[in-house]
Amino acid sequence: MDDLAATNRTDDEKGAAEPAAAPGTDTGPMPGGRAQPKTDKSEATRALILETAMRLFQERGYEKTTMRAIATEAGVSVGNAYYYFSAKEFLIQGFYDRMTYDHAADARRRMAHTRDFGERLRIALTSWLDTAAPYHEFAAQFFRTAADPTSSLSPFSNESHPARATAVELFREVLQGSELAPKLDAELVELLPDVLWLHLMVVVLYWVFDRTEDTERTREFVRRSTPLAARVINLSRYRVFRPIVRDAKGLIQDFILPTIGKTAVK
């Protein structure tokens, strides 16, 4: 009955609730939200649908790819496709989740042997560029939708919270694993992971429109902006800059964090 009802849905349906977990799936909390993959048969089917969708989005474009076409290419019923992804936009959320998880794992491995904050930050940002590289052309196709602040595809939306939480946690580790964290104001340490994630969003925006070979201009932007960001954060520990730090914290708390859906910072 569930499959029959799902088959009768149209691709124009928006805002449907996320599907219930498949039978036998562990529904307990997962670190980092949905970005942590499972290994059972249901997750294999979910991954197949997601990978098929990513390929078709690249070949045909996001708008021209229907859930029926994705199901046909994946060799599953339309009802099964809707069982795992209740609307097409949830496929993009699945893409966000998977790529964010892969990025976090890669960045942690790369920065494991350094405690220099600037180097750890550069590694984390460069790792994102390397992880996202295969999807560069595809990313530009749905950016118009993701740029809409009311869209569930926006990186600031409530729906994007699991992937965002994974990314913010990575930047928390970038800071906490460095030699700089013990020297900073505790409140600033709590806020900085979200601010560093916003830095990543600036990099992503530049990357989407970058048409240089291997997105070299974006990589150069990371190389040049990261030491500057590290120096500014390092200066915040000195007493003479405390008034400026307090003002900056106020701006972040009052005007930036409230715009991020379900932000991880309380």
Side-chain angles (χ1 to χ4, degrees):
M1 291 298 291
D2 288 342
D3 280 0
L4 179 60
T7 304
N8 290 330
R9 299 177 188 169
T10 68
D11 289 327
D12 293 328
E13 288 182 318
K14 304 294 183 182
E18 290 190 70
T25 297
D26 180 9
T27 58
M30 298 180 295
R34 293 170 300 175
Q36 179 171 318
K38 306 182 187 69
T39 57
D40 58 14
K41 183 178 179 180
S42 66
E43 182 60 19
T45 302
R46 184 181 186 277
L48 173 63
I49 295 169
L50 179 60
E51 290 166 6
T52 302
M54 295 304 104
R55 175 170 58 82
L56 293 182
F57 289 161
Q58 289 177 301
E59 294 173 0
R60 307 178 185 182
Y62 176 73
E63 297 297 335
K64 293 182 180 179
T65 302
T66 65
M67 288 291 283
R68 184 172 295 278
I70 293 167
T72 299
E73 286 285 324
V76 302
S77 69
V78 178
N80 213 15
Y82 274 115
Y83 180 81
Y84 290 99
F85 299 96
S86 60
K88 193 167 69 171
E89 56 263 37
F90 284 106
L91 285 159
I92 303 300
Q93 294 297 341
F95 165 69
Y96 285 164
D97 289 346
R98 187 177 68 178
M99 199 181 80
T100 302
Y101 179 85
D102 290 345
H103 165 227
D106 181 69
R108 289 185 181 109
R109 178 182 58 80
R110 293 191 192 192
M111 66 184 183
H113 303 296
T114 179
R115 297 194 68 236
D116 180 79
F117 172 71
E119 180 64 9
R120 289 171 68 85
L121 180 58
R122 185 196 63 77
I123 288 171
L125 296 175
T126 302
S127 171
W128 188 93
L129 294 175
D130 292 340
T131 304
Y135 309 104
H136 186 243
E137 293 303 318
F138 162 60
Q141 295 179 24
F142 66 82
F143 177 74
R144 286 180 301 171
T145 303
D148 180 353
T150 65
S151 170
S152 64
L153 300 186
S154 166
F156 297 90
S157 70
N158 286 342
E159 291 85 351
S160 296
H161 171 67
R164 187 171 58 251
T166 300
V168 169
E169 181 57 30
L170 170 64
F171 285 111
R172 192 178 306 281
E173 293 177 28
V174 167
L175 179 61
Q176 295 284 12
S178 75
E179 86 296 345
L180 183 59
K183 304 173 184 177
L184 298 178
D185 179 272
E187 289 185 58
L188 186 60
V189 169
E190 185 64 20
L191 291 173
L192 272 176
D194 281 275
V195 176
L196 295 175
W197 175 78
L198 289 171
H199 184 179
L200 172 63
M201 291 300 97
V202 173
V203 172
V204 172
L205 178 62
Y206 197 94
W207 173 83
V208 165
F209 293 102
D210 187 355
R211 289 297 175 264
T212 59
E213 187 175 355
D214 194 29
T215 57
E216 181 54 36
R217 284 189 63 82
T218 307
R219 293 176 183 276
E220 181 63 17
F221 175 75
V222 168
R223 283 193 288 268
R224 293 175 61 178
S225 66
T226 301
L228 177 62
R231 284 197 295 270
V232 170
I233 293 171
N234 186 55
L235 286 173
S236 71
R237 64 195 178 97
Y238 294 107
R239 185 179 302 276
V240 67
F241 293 105
R242 290 293 172 83
I244 298 175
V245 171
R246 283 196 295 270
D247 289 344
K249 286 184 344 191
L251 286 171
I252 293 167
Q253 290 173 319
D254 295 342
F255 294 98
I256 296 178
L257 295 185
T259 68
I260 304 176
K262 293 183 180 178
T263 178
V265 174
K266 302 299 183 184

